[in-house]
Each structure stands twice: as C-alpha cells, then as structure tokens.
Amino acid sequence: MIASSVGSGFTRARPRTVRRWPTYNLFRRREEPDLICAVPNDFPVPAFVSGEAWTYAGSISAPSEAPAGFSAEAAEHGAEICGFHLFHVLPAAAVPDQAWRAAG
C-alpha cells in the first residue's frame, strides 16, 4: 500500500498498482534474422508475420529471457498502438544466451 495525503491532514492507504510482465511470442524474419516481431501472447499475430518470410523464434515470459535489444517499455507501447513491436537484436557479442534464436 502507498500512503497518500488527504486535505484534512490524515493519511489514507491506497492500493499499489502491480503490473505483470506479459509473455511475448517472438517471430524472426528469415532474410533478416536480427529483425524480430514481438507479439503479446494474448494478441493476434499480425497478418504480415503469418507469411513465409517469418518464423516462430520462441517466447519470453520474464525480463531475464529477453534478447538484447528488446525494450519492455517500447514493446508495451507498440502493443497498445498496433498490437506488436518490431526491434533489432543487438550483435551476437552482446547477447549472452542465444538459445531463443535456435527455436526457429
């Protein structure tokens, strides 16, 4: 609970907003493997991703699983605006574990 001051001089507790980390499905562009489309698990997959040019590359359900270059804040904003988030993975040297890339 977070305390908030009320005009009469006493403090009232209000609930803290708890935000959960959504699971994102990742799709990799076949001809540009560093281009990734992240789609929240409860959102429909965009039509452009369902073609031959893209392949499923795994999912992330925690910040520690996110590939280098993924921004949770940008992904959330992108999902709110258009239902997905496109990003480039940082160079391989910057990615400590690339197991998620092997899924596609």
Side-chain angles (χ1 to χ4, degrees):
M1 297 288 218
I2 299 174
S4 65
S5 180
V6 178
S8 63
F10 68 91
T11 302
R12 175 177 59 149
R14 60 185 164 101
R16 181 176 295 185
T17 302
V18 177
R19 299 181 68 174
R20 68 172 184 85
W21 173 272
T23 296
Y24 289 92
N25 291 315
L26 304 178
F27 299 89
R28 180 179 60 214
R29 185 159 171 84
R30 290 184 193 271
E31 293 192 19
E32 296 176 73
D34 290 337
L35 181 61
I36 307 293
C37 181
V39 182
N41 194 41
D42 54 350
F43 280 51
V45 175
F48 72 88
V49 172
S50 59
E52 291 291 319
W54 295 83
T55 185
Y56 179 72
S59 64
I60 52 174
S61 56
S64 61
E65 298 172 358
F70 179 84
S71 165
E73 184 178 333
E76 183 178 345
H77 184 68
E80 289 174 3
I81 300 298
C82 56
F84 62 89
H85 170 59
L86 290 174
F87 69 99
H88 272 105
V89 175
L90 295 177
V95 182
D97 179 17
Q98 294 188 1
W100 69 271
R101 290 184 87 173

